[in-house]
Amino acid sequence: MIGQGVLRECLLDPDIERVVTLGRSSVGTTHPKLKNVLTKDLFDLSSVERDLTEIDACFFCLGVTSAGMSEQAYSRITHDLTVSIGETLLRLNSRMGFIFVSGASTDSTERGRVMWARVKGKAENAVRRMPFKWTYMFRPAFIQPLHGIKSRTALYRIPYTLMSPFTPFIRRAFPNVVTTTEVLGRAMINVARNGYPKPILETEDINIAGSLSGRR
């Protein structure tokens, strides 16, 4: 859902010359400046490396729900895959920046009792240690999907659908908890373009950065 949101904003932004998506399945969108790179194994990008060069920034939105997963399995996707892809992109683009999307309540100490938060914190810390030109961690809480965007995870999609009539009230009542896919996408573009005073952006920061990123 986050990836769909940031992809939409990247394609709409006239200053962005080229957008490359990387995944195991098509994003279902066509656009003159979009290159959809597909690979069966995201841990081995050797066959698609030629398509992953001359890139200024990576918006890493890949993620899975931890429900029903062991810590080892969840860590392999959330931490190990992030590091593996990051190392490849960094080797191919020495001046690249990297934005990692984790979530509210991520545990930077890596020692908390909540498994997903611990693993997310480990992934954040690993990214921040890598020699990218810059790194930012995005920690959204509740995200309102806009423009027909839907989560591909049923566990998230159903609650979002049920809560949609109440979302405008929730946004007014808790502005520092709720953002939208549109604002989140604009925030990522703006931070990549201009930076941000904090390396870790919570929902309040995301909304501020998103509001500063009007399309030109």
Side-chain angles (χ1 to χ4, degrees):
M1 186 176 72
I2 297 173
Q4 294 174 66
V6 70
L7 173 59
R8 177 183 184 274
E9 297 307 313
C10 285
L11 294 178
L12 288 171
D13 192 307
D15 291 340
I16 296 178
E17 298 175 353
R18 184 169 66 108
V19 180
V20 179
T21 62
L22 174 66
R24 292 181 297 180
S25 59
S26 173
V27 295
T29 300
T30 58
H31 193 279
K33 64 181 179 183
L34 173 62
K35 174 72 173 181
N36 190 192
V37 178
L38 303 179
T39 179
K40 293 182 179 179
D41 184 2
L42 290 170
F43 279 97
D44 181 7
L45 303 180
S46 56
S47 64
V48 296
E49 285 188 358
R50 64 185 180 278
D51 296 313
L52 304 176
T53 60
E54 299 182 3
I55 297 174
D56 299 308
C58 173
F59 299 152
F60 197 90
C61 305
L62 183 151
V64 294
T65 174
S66 62
M69 297 186 72
S70 67
E71 182 165 350
Q72 181 179 8
Y74 184 68
S75 183
R76 175 169 170 75
I77 296 175
T78 303
H79 173 270
D80 300 352
L81 183 57
T82 303
V83 171
S84 177
I85 292 176
E87 289 177 343
T88 298
L89 292 177
L90 186 59
R91 174 169 54 80
L92 298 173
N93 307 275
S94 61
R95 298 293 293 168
M96 167 186 275
F98 197 99
I99 290 179
F100 178 69
V101 180
S102 55
S105 301
T106 290
D107 178 15
S108 298
T109 72
E110 306 180 30
R111 294 189 293 270
R113 298 179 63 181
V114 180
M115 183 271 282
W116 74 263
R118 200 167 54 237
V119 174
K120 286 281 193 181
K122 181 180 179 182
E124 280 191 354
N125 292 337
V127 170
R128 295 184 68 183
R129 287 193 296 267
M130 298 174 75
F132 287 103
K133 182 179 180 180
W134 46 259
T135 59
Y136 292 95
M137 310 297 116
F138 273 50
R139 294 182 177 182
F142 184 85
I143 306 168
Q144 178 187 6
L146 299 178
H147 309 295
I149 291 172
K150 297 180 180 179
S151 172
R152 295 182 179 179
T153 304
L155 184 64
Y156 296 154
R157 188 168 58 247
I158 295 172
Y160 274 120
T161 301
L162 294 174
M163 293 180 66
S164 59
F166 309 101
T167 302
F169 168 77
I170 297 173
R171 288 184 64 187
R172 289 194 298 270
F174 305 100
N176 294 335
V177 175
V178 182
T179 190
T180 71
T181 50
E182 181 178 318
V183 170
L184 183 54
R186 291 184 183 181
M188 294 173 77
I189 294 170
N190 186 50
V191 169
R193 182 181 288 137
N194 302 312
Y196 196 76
K198 302 177 182 177
I200 297 176
L201 286 79
E202 306 286 351
T203 298
E204 180 180 9
D205 301 297
I206 291 169
N207 288 336
I208 292 172
S211 68
L212 298 174
S213 181
R215 295 189 207 98
R216 289 178 282 175

